[in-house]
Amino acid sequence: MSRVADLQHILLVFVDGLGIGRHDPESNPCCRPGLRLLHQCEETPFPHPLAPAGLALGLDANLGVAGLPQSATGQTALLTGINGARLLGRHLNAFPNKALREVIAVHNILKRFTDAGFRAAFLNTFRPPFFDLDPFAIISHLSVTSVSNLYAGLKFFDLDDLRAGRSVNQDITGASLRDHGFDVPLYSPQEAGEIIGRASQHYDFSLFEYFQTDVAGHSRDFSRALPVLIRLEDFLASILATVDLTTTLVLVTSDHGNIEDLAVKGHTRNPAMTLLFGCGCSEIAAQLHTLTDVTPVLLAARAGA
């Protein structure tokens, strides 16, 4: 594996609601045949090697606060390094409130990379009517990732970027856009992975968000959850085949558990599944223990390269 000193590109793939659960094929679709990268269960010692040039481990998503981890506080911790749940004294679901947005405005990873002079991008496609609205007028309805991009002052990629192969829709394939009547390409997970992989090589740090895992987890429907995981795995495998892993770190992680336990409707207190591949993988993995470690460790790794 390449050392951190060789690191040129970081791609953070944020997967909502993906934890490490028990090896129980009746409740955990991650244990089903056909999955390799995402076939991570708590019975396996962590960290452990994962081809190509990777490691698998779990991150504490509970943040020292009672109750089930939630998206707004977990994503704030992940993307700022600041414990949003401890700040509020509770876990907060859905969208960040004013107190969390104040943290995100200053400390989010996209802004901090940009302020340090690095090239950064949020590679998800946004669709109308988003561009017809004042984002600050609807900020209370934006996710942590979108609020981060807004305060970083970075471009939001649109449907023309999707058509040109510069960004990918949140569902990976773009099928949901076509369902809403938008004239866009329908990409296979492999094609979408190639797009994100190629795009990541133009930036020092890039971010892609996939939240269909959390949606499928809440459905508690195996027939829905397993295809979501297979699509994600094919997408990730294509990214790994596209990027130069001697100079690129691909980090896949989550904000909390959910889809790994369909026996329950809500989130879980399981570790957030975390997969690292490529440049500096071992050195960086050794520094990751909880969600709040991700942003400071990535910033330090790229600055020190």
Side-chain angles (χ1 to χ4, degrees):
M1 296 181 187
S2 304
R3 306 284 296 175
V4 166
D6 302 315
L7 185 60
Q8 297 179 22
H9 313 284
I10 298 171
L11 171 60
L12 174 57
V13 180
F14 163 57
V15 181
D16 198 330
L18 178 64
I20 298 174
R22 293 180 298 113
H23 190 280
D24 180 2
E26 296 303 313
S27 64
N28 185 355
C30 296
C31 297
R32 288 295 181 97
L35 294 175
R36 183 180 65 84
L37 300 177
L38 302 176
H39 195 284
Q40 308 299 330
C41 302
E42 64 182 24
E43 289 81 1
T44 306
F46 290 96
H48 64 81
L50 188 62
L55 287 170
L57 63 147
L59 297 184
D60 176 27
N62 298 306
L63 302 171
V65 176
L68 294 178
Q70 300 293 337
S71 295
T73 39
Q75 291 169 31
T76 297
L78 178 67
L79 295 178
T80 68
I82 294 174
N83 190 329
R86 185 165 290 163
L87 175 70
L88 299 182
R90 62 188 176 94
H91 297 284
L92 179 68
N93 66 353
F95 307 123
N97 61 11
K98 184 174 184 294
L100 294 180
R101 292 197 301 270
E102 289 175 352
V103 170
I104 297 164
V106 177
H107 299 285
N108 83 75
I109 193 169
L110 289 166
K111 184 179 191 311
R112 292 178 69 184
F113 267 112
T114 301
D115 287 350
F118 292 106
R119 299 161 298 165
F122 180 29
L123 296 174
N124 283 69
T125 302
F126 284 71
R127 66 173 178 86
F130 177 81
F131 296 99
D132 300 324
L133 305 169
D134 175 0
F136 285 100
I138 59 169
I139 196 168
S140 63
H141 300 285
L142 297 181
S143 66
V144 172
T145 50
S146 299
V147 173
S148 296
N149 201 58
L150 182 61
Y151 279 115
L154 295 175
K155 170 186 172 67
F156 285 89
F157 290 91
D158 59 20
L159 296 183
D160 287 337
D161 294 301
L162 176 70
R163 297 182 184 105
R166 292 186 291 263
S167 66
V168 167
N169 194 51
Q170 53 79 18
D171 67 349
I172 294 177
T173 64
S176 64
L177 290 172
R178 291 168 68 112
D179 289 344
H180 283 86
F182 293 104
D183 181 18
V184 295
L186 185 66
Y187 293 123
S188 70
Q190 292 82 2
E191 290 170 329
E194 290 175 7
I195 290 169
I196 294 299
R198 287 196 305 267
S200 73
Q201 304 300 276
H202 296 293
Y203 301 100
D204 300 291
F205 174 81
S206 49
L207 170 67
F208 181 79
E209 175 181 17
Y210 183 65
F211 59 78
Q212 292 302 319
T213 35
D214 196 52
V215 175
H218 286 301
S219 77
R220 302 178 67 186
D221 182 350
F222 246 107
S223 66
R224 181 174 183 177
L226 192 56
V228 161
L229 291 170
I230 292 171
R231 185 186 316 141
L232 173 61
E233 177 143 311
D234 290 344
F235 172 70
L236 293 175
S238 181
I239 288 174
L240 297 174
T242 301
V243 302
D244 181 356
L245 289 174
T246 66
T247 59
T248 304
L249 173 73
V250 178
L251 172 59
V252 182
T253 193
S254 188
D255 52 350
H256 54 71
N258 185 352
I259 196 172
E260 80 286 356
D261 189 355
L262 297 182
V264 298
K265 185 173 178 61
H267 297 165
T268 73
R269 291 180 66 84
N270 291 330
M273 190 184 297
T274 303
L275 315 176
L276 300 94
F277 303 92
C279 188
C281 172
S282 296
E283 296 163 80
I284 291 170
Q287 303 174 68
L288 298 178
H289 308 285
T290 183
L291 296 184
T292 54
D293 294 330
V294 172
T295 286
V297 167
L298 293 184
L299 286 164
R302 187 61 185 88

